[in-house]
Structure formats: C-alpha cells, structure tokens
Amino acid sequence: YLDWARRNFSLNGFSDKNRLEQGDVMAWLEASRDEFDLIFIDPPTFSNSKRMEGIFDVQRDHVQLLDLAMARLAPGGVLYFSNNFRKFQLEDNLSERYAVEEISDKTIDPDFARNAKIHRAWKITAR
C-alpha cells in the first residue's frame, strides 16, 4: 500500500509533501506530537495485524481512534472518517465534542449509488 500511495502522490504532484508510515495507528497517534491540517481515516472493519497489539474493531474502537486523531488536528483542520462496515453506527456522544457532519451521499461513487449502505463518511472538525 505504501508503494501504491507513493506512486499516486507522485502522479498528482504531492510526492515531496507527504510522509507515509506503516504501523499500529493507535500507538503512532498516541506517540505523535505532530499537527496535521487534513486527516483521512478509512480503517478496516476488523484487524488482528501482527504489527499491533490486540485486535482492532471499528465499531468498538472508532471513538478512541477519532479522539487520538482529533488531538493531532491543527486548529482549523478537517478530519474525514469513512468505513465500509454496513452495520456501523457512529457514537452519538462524538457530536458533543466535535462538529460532526455526515457526508456519505457526497462520497459514494455513482457505480454504488444503488446501495447507500456500502459506505459511510463524516467530516469532523473542532468545535
């Protein structure tokens, strides 16, 4: 995936502006002190990768993941969160801490418009 991302960044003129990392995202976010203007998060529904401790479950772990990522978001920055778990429910209390806007209908490719449950996405910013 990193090679694919590098090629895409290069093809789009962004090769010198991005750092690509491979590892346990939760551990990386906890350790990082960097700030980012834009964060995209599209986690797997489930992962038991050897590169991480424990098991990631998007339904169970999305609040912790989003809180860690929002702590890295620069003032005025935007976080986009999406996933393809058809039964996914975004935790209601996130809207108490952040400005949360569901943008799923704007992000579904026309080829998949017949099945809106294929994908869900949100734009999240600081309040």
Side-chain angles (χ1 to χ4, degrees):
Y1 286 107
L2 292 180
D3 288 338
W4 173 78
R6 281 185 194 94
R7 286 193 305 272
N8 278 309
F9 281 138
S10 180
L11 288 169
N12 289 287
F14 297 112
S15 57
D16 61 339
K17 299 178 183 177
N18 296 283
R19 183 178 73 217
L20 301 173
E21 303 263 349
Q22 182 177 5
D24 179 338
V25 69
M26 300 291 220
W28 186 84
L29 285 169
E30 285 177 0
S32 175
R33 294 297 161 245
D34 295 333
E35 285 191 339
F36 302 93
D37 297 320
L38 180 62
I39 299 174
F40 288 97
I41 299 178
D42 186 15
T45 299
F46 173 86
S47 177
N48 60 354
S49 170
K50 294 174 185 170
R51 293 187 192 105
M52 61 183 271
E53 286 190 33
I55 296 170
F56 177 84
D57 177 288
V58 73
Q59 186 62 67
R60 181 192 67 212
D61 300 325
H62 75 278
V63 173
Q64 179 186 11
L65 175 61
L66 291 173
D67 284 341
L68 288 168
M70 289 299 290
R72 306 283 43 96
L73 194 64
V78 178
L79 183 150
Y80 291 97
F81 173 69
S82 69
N83 75 77
N84 298 326
F85 178 39
R86 292 176 188 232
K87 296 179 182 179
F88 181 80
Q89 294 294 318
L90 190 72
E91 189 70 39
D92 287 337
N93 69 8
L94 285 169
S95 61
E96 295 171 10
R97 296 192 301 281
Y98 313 118
V100 178
E101 174 189 359
E102 183 163 2
I103 58 169
S104 299
D105 59 335
K106 298 173 187 168
T107 64
I108 296 176
D109 188 280
D111 289 343
F112 297 100
R114 69 188 180 284
N115 186 356
K117 293 182 179 180
I118 194 104
H119 165 87
R120 305 240 344 251
W122 293 264
K123 176 182 177 182
I124 304 173
T125 56
R127 287 200 169 276

